[in-house]
Amino acid sequence: MQPTPASASAPRPSSQLPGGDREIESLEEFDALVAASGSLAGCRVQAIDLTARTSALRGCDATGAVFLGCPMEQDAVDAMRTAGALVFPPVPDLPFDPYRGLLYTPEGLFAGLSTGGYEATPDARAYAWFQETKADGDVFSSMLRAIHDDSISDALDELLVSARVVGVMGGHAMARGTDEYEGAARLGRSLARSGYTVATGGGPGAMEAANLGAYASVFRDEMLDEALELLAKAPSFTPSITEWARAAFDVRERWPSGGASVGIPTWFYGHEPPNAFATHLAKYFANATREDGLLARSNAGVIFLPGAAGTLQEIFDAATPNYYESRGEPAPMILVDENHWTNHLPAWPLLRALARGRSMEPKIALVDKVEEAPAALASLTTG
């Protein structure tokens, strides 16, 4: 099942935790539960502004409840602690919420772009904080990053329940306006129209192109041609991330409410901004967590477009659990561009040798053109 664009922010039923506890991640969920039961016992209330809910909180059973980063009046904090709840207050002056209950959106990460440029956005400010704290050995900063990334993983898992996810991997250097970029966009559109949820590394280049294709999947075919022409006017995120991002938001404004897809970027590569066409952005501080999570969630297969060291690493990060069957039945792996993966960076001969005689052998394929990838995926899925 594909996630819808609205599901990143719309209220949803409270999530069941082990032991029957529940996560509450929106004010609507909070109000509905309090009205129905008058109890928050055993609940995890996550990153909700409760400053206007003091009266409701005072009247609740809060035994065993945990409040994570919820702004509250001091009277409400005192009442909750007296009632047996744990209250972890918001952390002041952070450019991100470590307790967030939902994934990011492009609008959220790029807020302020139109008035202050990219440097003023939450995405840029979070990267600046990361740069300041990642090497200072401060255990508190490390803890905040870990809590944030775990919250993102939780939100990502909730979003992708029952989804058939195909990962599309490829380099950030692929420029808008090139045949390669267009091919990756058409691949993303084809996958989305086939019922898959497209997941990428969430950055520029091939990643943006695949997310763009998924975004375009709900429109007439001509929309993608027109969008590609508009984007080509700002071909790269260098030298100006601001102009690159504004071009994407111009496309989104002209064609609002596009098809859903997922981007999983990282602040570890802070020079690579997230792209605006992934409707759900699971952005991490820890790149290792991000890489493994992206590949592990690509349960319907992974397509590898031409890339360099990062894409090469992803090929074998995916191959290892397929080799050992540590995630169950091997997922399809498709490498695109025969010359690139046999001569320029000869990953295919090694992958084929690794797979020989194992259950992953019939789940790998090499195709020469990106247009062949969807058919190859279908063949490996049904074969």
Side-chain angles (χ1 to χ4, degrees):
M1 179 178 67
Q2 281 188 283
T4 62
S7 66
S9 56
R12 54 177 176 72
S14 301
S15 303
Q16 291 294 322
L17 291 172
D21 294 337
R22 289 189 291 182
E23 295 178 7
I24 302 174
E25 297 166 344
S26 72
L27 199 56
E28 292 84 357
E29 290 178 294
F30 176 88
D31 289 340
L33 182 61
V34 170
S37 68
S39 174
L40 295 169
C43 289
R44 308 311 189 230
V45 189
Q46 195 168 346
I48 305 171
D49 188 344
L50 297 174
T51 52
R53 297 295 188 274
T54 300
S55 296
L57 288 165
R58 284 175 175 165
C60 281
D61 175 11
T63 306
V66 180
F67 293 85
L68 300 169
C70 298
M72 287 187 272
E73 298 288 349
Q74 188 59 48
D75 286 353
V77 173
D78 295 340
M80 291 299 91
R81 286 175 173 161
T82 300
L86 289 175
V87 180
F88 294 84
V91 181
D93 303 321
L94 276 183
F96 64 95
D97 182 356
Y99 300 112
R100 63 179 301 114
L102 302 172
L103 298 181
Y104 293 100
T105 64
E107 296 87 346
L109 284 177
F110 284 101
L113 178 75
S114 60
T115 55
Y118 175 71
E119 292 72 18
T121 65
D123 186 66
R125 289 188 287 113
Y127 176 59
W129 177 89
F130 181 43
Q131 288 293 95
E132 292 169 4
T133 62
K134 67 179 182 180
D136 63 9
D138 180 13
V139 67
F140 184 57
S141 296
S142 298
M143 182 189 74
L144 292 174
R145 292 194 296 269
I147 291 172
H148 170 274
D149 285 2
D150 189 68
S151 297
I152 290 294
S153 291
D154 181 62
L156 184 59
D157 285 337
E158 290 172 357
L159 176 75
L160 295 178
V161 171
S162 302
R164 294 191 302 152
V165 181
V166 172
V168 179
M169 310 297 155
H172 69 267
M174 185 184 288
R176 296 166 173 174
T178 63
D179 291 342
E180 292 78 12
Y181 186 95
E182 179 180 343
R186 296 190 185 283
L187 171 63
R189 184 176 67 179
S190 176
L191 293 171
R193 286 180 173 176
S194 296
Y196 293 111
T197 295
V198 174
T200 77
M207 297 171 279
E208 180 190 56
N211 288 128
L212 167 64
Y215 188 89
S217 64
V218 300
F219 300 105
R220 57 186 174 85
D221 287 353
E222 292 80 3
M223 174 269 175
L224 182 56
D225 297 328
E226 295 172 31
L228 289 167
E229 185 176 347
L230 290 172
L231 291 170
K233 297 175 182 178
S236 175
F237 64 97
T238 59
S240 173
I241 294 176
T242 299
E243 295 308 312
W244 173 84
R246 282 176 175 164
F249 279 102
D250 286 345
V251 169
R252 286 172 52 101
E253 184 175 352
R254 183 169 175 181
W255 293 282
S257 303
S261 67
V262 175
I264 307 180
T266 174
W267 279 295
F268 183 81
Y269 297 130
H271 62 287
E272 293 182 20
N275 77 72
F277 295 110
T279 51
H280 309 280
L281 287 162
K283 191 152 192 179
Y284 288 88
F285 288 106
N287 186 52
T289 304
R290 167 251 191 174
E291 288 276 10
D292 185 69
L294 171 56
L295 294 166
R297 291 173 176 85
S298 297
N299 55 17
V302 187
I303 297 172
F304 299 91
L305 302 176
T311 310
L312 192 65
Q313 176 183 337
E314 288 163 345
I315 289 173
F316 292 101
D317 280 348
T320 300
N322 277 355
Y323 181 88
Y324 289 111
E325 299 185 54
S326 56
R327 293 178 186 145
E329 182 181 347
M333 297 177 62
I334 300 162
L335 278 59
V336 176
D337 192 328
E338 185 172 348
N339 180 62
H340 184 85
W341 293 120
T342 57
N343 297 314
H344 180 59
L345 292 175
W348 173 250
L350 179 55
L351 180 64
R352 187 171 55 180
L354 191 69
R356 189 171 296 121
R358 304 188 72 89
S359 61
M360 67 181 286
E361 186 172 14
K363 295 293 185 179
I364 64 172
L366 174 68
V367 299
D368 195 41
K369 299 183 183 302
V370 69
E371 294 82 5
E372 301 172 281
L377 177 65
S379 176
L380 297 184
T381 299
T382 58

